[in-house]
Amino acid sequence: MQLRKHAPKGGALLATLLTTAPQIASAFYLPGVAPRSYSEGELVPLNVNTIRPVAVHDQFVHSLVSYDYYHPFFQFCVPEGGPKDVSESLGSILFGDRIKTSPYELHMKKNETCKTLCPRTYHKAAAFWLNQQIRDGISINWLVDGFPAAQVYNTGSPGFLLGAEINGEVVFNNHYDIFIEYHTVTGTTDQHRVVGVNVRPESRNYKGEVKEDTCLGSQDPVHLSETGDTTVTFTYSVYWVPSTTAWATRWDKYLHVIDPKIHWFSLINSAVIVVFLVLTVMSVLIRALKKDIARYNRLDQIELADISGTSAVLEDGVQEDSGWKLVHGDVFRTPSNPLLLSVFLGSGAQLFVITGFTIALALLGFLSPSSRGSLGNIILFLFTVLGFVGGYVSARIYKSMQGEKWKLNIILTPLLVPGIVFATFFILDLVLWAKQSSEAVPFTTMLVIILIWFIISVPLSFAGSWLGFRAPLIENPVRTNQIPRQIPPATTYLKPIPSMLLVGILPFGAIFVELYFIMSSIWFSKIYYMFGFLFLCYGLMIMTCAAATVLLVYFLLCAENYNWHWRAFLAAGTSAVYIFLNCLVYWVSKLSLSGFSGSVLYIGYSLLISFLFFVLTGTIGFFSSWWFVRKIYKSIKID
């Protein structure tokens, strides 16, 4: 009674946590990302980052290739002594950040108008390339005091356009009006913090010497000639604007949902459907299983009943078996390819824990956008440390399946799935190298990842496997017969392909709404922060995946089909097929990639994500079915 009394409070607390998680995530900052205050006239650093493609006027992304800010064809002005690299984390490098110093000088609260940087001459080859980049919607990214500059805040995408296509003509932006919002620290008058950066790029074809009042007038736009040379002068103006925004909430400018009602409605609608599905499945299974178990236990009583006729009464309504008890001697028979299955399950368990920890850390604010590369750092750290979990789970499962190639299991667990991921990543990186993209991971960084993999993660996986093989054997609740039972023909919906497609669509239905926002964050360079929604979707996906797979396994056993191991794994993993199909639909509806390399990158990364999702959901489906099968066969009496 006390539990029921306090249950609503717990539910209200959970709902409060889920709804406030985005605000918590946006307001919490890691140690080492403390605010920096500037006195009046003090130099505020403006660093440049990777130039990335964004959606243009037609709302389509036309390219997936990013470039270094100081790419030779851009010919941007460089600081005295050349640009210097700004130290970055490993995760920041993996996610494509290439931060460098710039020649722009910003002094706190000091307005400057039409300050000349340098003149540049663009040859026709560079002009042709730049005009194509402008048509594709390339975006410049600056960081002022670590905060990204934006042309428009409410799009959720940092950066501002390199140029624009107006009435069929391409114009090149060479002047930047920089509006910097600052907040005076409470209790002081001479300490100020940067809380916002807005850049308004303009195209100005200067005729003659550039003076302070030159930018106040209007000039013709700059058109880069593809038949001759074009001289361009780069200028900028700086305006300091006081703001009431506190430093701790300055990221709220980007963390803005365009239409939160649609997001909430779609998410709640999916949640209600998923919860209803899970409750329905569980109620059907519990009622059916109780009836089956009672029937089977009554059948055992018949053999002990007297022969005076009581057995006939007991036997009434009992002889029709549902079938799952009939395969008790085969249900724990070793499946085909137990080595491959155990390796997938070990990697899937590792992925499951990595995903759970990552979302939990995101809810606590450890993935704050102010800490660049934090997502990559956390995933890499968890993958390295949790190699132990993968090795242990793989070894225990393989041992329970009576596997004999234990050495091969120990070797393949830390190498197979990570090897597939790394090989795919390396091939896609070669495409980026060929395009001279800044997102291509440097060779030294790739070498560091390999060293971390083989020096830390692989030994930890070996240690987990060693403990797993030394652990006691997981005893099955029933004995396995020596001769396999013949499997009768299956009905249409229980055949492999139809059953996989039916089961796989349910976990996908639990996450497809949030998947849209995640994909928009990836391909449209938007900041993702809705970790409360993500946590809810992840929990719903686990519940749906487990319930749907358990229901399939129950139907298989009732049909006297005891080959449930791979069927459970593949059926739940089929949700990855729907993930990939959704990626293809997104490609057609939201992207308009102009080059072959962009298509290769999109398909490659989509396949990589789908493969990881296949291993993750397949593992969830297998272990939920494994628990279910062991549970029901423990509940009946077997002679």
Side-chain angles (χ1 to χ4, degrees), residues 384-403:
T384 303
V385 174
L386 295 175
F388 178 87
V389 174
Y392 181 80
V393 171
S394 177
R396 292 219 69 181
I397 292 296
Y398 190 60
K399 184 178 180 180
S400 71
M401 293 178 180
Q402 310 298 326

Side-chain angles (χ1 to χ4, degrees), residues 380-435:
L380 192 61
F381 172 76
L382 291 175
F383 164 77
T384 303
V385 174
L386 295 175
F388 178 87
V389 174
Y392 181 80
V393 171
S394 177
R396 292 219 69 181
I397 292 296
Y398 190 60
K399 184 178 180 180
S400 71
M401 293 178 180
Q402 310 298 326
E404 298 177 353
K405 301 177 181 178
W406 60 272
K407 293 182 180 178
L408 195 56
N409 174 271
I410 293 176
I411 295 173
L412 285 180
T413 299
L415 295 181
L416 181 62
V417 172
I420 293 174
V421 173
F422 182 81
T424 307
F425 181 77
F426 181 74
I427 292 172
L428 296 176
D429 209 50
L430 289 178
V431 177
L432 292 171
W433 276 337
K435 294 293 292 183

Side-chain angles (χ1 to χ4, degrees), residues 223-350:
H223 300 285
L224 299 178
S225 173
E226 298 181 7
T227 58
D229 295 344
T230 306
T231 300
V232 177
T233 300
F234 286 93
T235 59
Y236 69 99
S237 300
V238 183
Y239 305 97
W240 294 87
V241 182
S243 173
T244 57
T245 303
W247 186 90
T249 59
R250 64 178 184 170
W251 284 93
D252 291 352
K253 293 179 174 65
Y254 293 108
L255 310 184
H256 172 71
V257 182
I258 302 300
D259 197 341
K261 291 183 180 179
I262 294 178
H263 190 113
W264 273 109
F265 178 78
S266 301
L267 189 60
I268 293 174
N269 183 55
S270 299
V272 169
I273 294 174
V274 168
V275 172
F276 178 76
L277 169 68
V278 171
L279 292 178
T280 303
V281 169
M282 295 307 296
S283 63
V284 169
L285 286 179
I286 290 173
R287 291 180 60 186
L289 285 173
K290 281 185 176 180
K291 186 177 179 181
D292 290 342
I293 292 170
R295 182 190 303 130
Y296 292 141
N297 290 336
R298 288 171 63 194
L299 279 171
D300 292 331
Q301 294 175 13
I302 291 175
E303 299 178 0
L304 303 176
D306 60 279
I307 58 174
S308 62
T310 16
S311 60
V313 177
L314 288 171
E315 198 172 345
D316 184 27
V318 174
Q319 292 298 332
E320 287 189 16
D321 297 341
S322 64
W324 61 267
K325 185 182 177 183
L326 300 178
V327 295
H328 68 83
D330 300 275
V331 72
F332 291 104
R333 189 176 300 281
T334 301
S336 58
N337 298 316
L339 176 63
L340 180 61
L341 180 59
S342 63
V343 169
F344 275 147
L345 292 174
S347 297
Q350 186 179 355

Side-chain angles (χ1 to χ4, degrees), residues 175-196:
H175 173 80
Y176 310 107
D177 285 329
I178 308 172
F179 295 86
I180 304 176
E181 300 175 25
Y182 68 93
H183 176 75
T184 303
V185 180
T186 305
T188 67
T189 57
D190 60 343
Q191 295 296 307
H192 315 282
R193 295 171 180 172
V194 175
V195 295

Side-chain angles (χ1 to χ4, degrees), residues 110-124:
K110 182 181 179 182
N111 294 337
E112 296 183 276
T113 306
C114 218
K115 193 171 182 179
T116 303
L117 273 180
C118 67
R120 285 286 187 262
T121 300
Y122 291 90
H123 302 294
K124 56 183 181 181

Side-chain angles (χ1 to χ4, degrees), residues 526-589:
K526 297 185 182 223
I527 297 176
Y528 183 84
Y529 73 100
M530 295 171 284
F531 299 113
F533 294 134
L534 184 62
F535 172 77
L536 179 61
C537 286
Y538 186 59
L540 291 174
M541 185 205 71
I542 294 173
M543 294 167 58
T544 311
C545 202
T549 313
V550 165
L551 187 60
L552 171 65
V553 170
Y554 174 70
F555 286 147
L556 286 175
L557 295 178
C558 288
E560 301 179 31
N561 187 343
Y562 50 83
N563 294 327
W564 61 271
H565 302 79
W566 274 108
R567 293 290 296 273
F569 182 85
L570 294 175
T574 305
S575 56
V577 175
Y578 291 98
I579 296 288
F580 184 70
L581 291 176
N582 182 72
C583 292
L584 296 181
V585 172
Y586 193 88
W587 183 19
V588 173
S589 60

